[in-house]
Amino acid sequence: MADSLFLREFLRAPLRTGAQQPSSRALGAAMAAEIDPDGTDPVVELGPGTGVVTRALLDRGIDEYRLVLIELNPSFSDHVQRSFPRATVLTGSAFDLRRLLTTEIGGGIEPRIRGVVSGLPLRGRPDALRRRLLQDALDLARPAAGCFVQFTYWYDSPVPFDRADIDGRRTRFVPFNLWPASVWTYRRRTG
């Protein structure tokens, strides 16, 4: 069911969907492993699609009620809402992250989050848009444990970043994914 939904949406809008099939469970687990499950702050997932990474976040020990899933595609949004009824599902653009979180879960105040996990196809987006998404995510994240996690099929960083301000590194490699993928994790530099 979920795989056929993903293929249908890819055929409908390949550039927006970004892949022919969902991420593997191994890639989902590798991404979720970068998020500290402790605390009560929300964990945001950008582009949950059919929920592979979402399930990995639950397996990591993050309570479903803490998950905020931001999905642009209404079909995927409906699917994850049915699959994860205790999560907060927002239909909208991940590039509107700060406004969505402030209005939808913060009651007009910028909320503090634990981190962001992104399954978005970022490579084709303008540098300025990718930089702003990373900055917004890290501005909202708790300084000590907060991070932005993104996968890529390339070796180098999928997001351009200021190395003086942000520690970004390739933290995991998942060879058994179609296609092999690297996980990049970004955190604010402290001190």
Side-chain angles (χ1 to χ4, degrees), residues 132-153:
R132 192 188 84 216
L133 176 64
L134 176 60
Q135 290 292 336
D136 286 350
L138 293 178
D139 285 350
L140 295 169
R142 294 268 178 213
C147 63
F148 180 85
V149 181
Q150 174 70 48
F151 83 90
T152 183
Y153 300 126

Side-chain angles (χ1 to χ4, degrees), residues 1-54:
M1 163 73 180
D3 286 347
S4 63
L5 170 63
F6 202 93
L7 180 59
R8 184 180 75 230
E9 294 305 313
F10 171 76
L11 293 172
R12 183 177 298 160
L15 293 178
R16 184 172 72 181
T17 304
Q20 301 91 337
Q21 66 183 37
S23 300
S24 68
R25 288 183 185 178
L27 179 54
M31 294 177 75
E34 295 300 314
I35 299 290
D36 182 350
D38 294 336
T40 58
D41 291 329
V43 173
V44 179
E45 183 182 357
L46 306 178
T50 57
V52 173
V53 176
T54 314

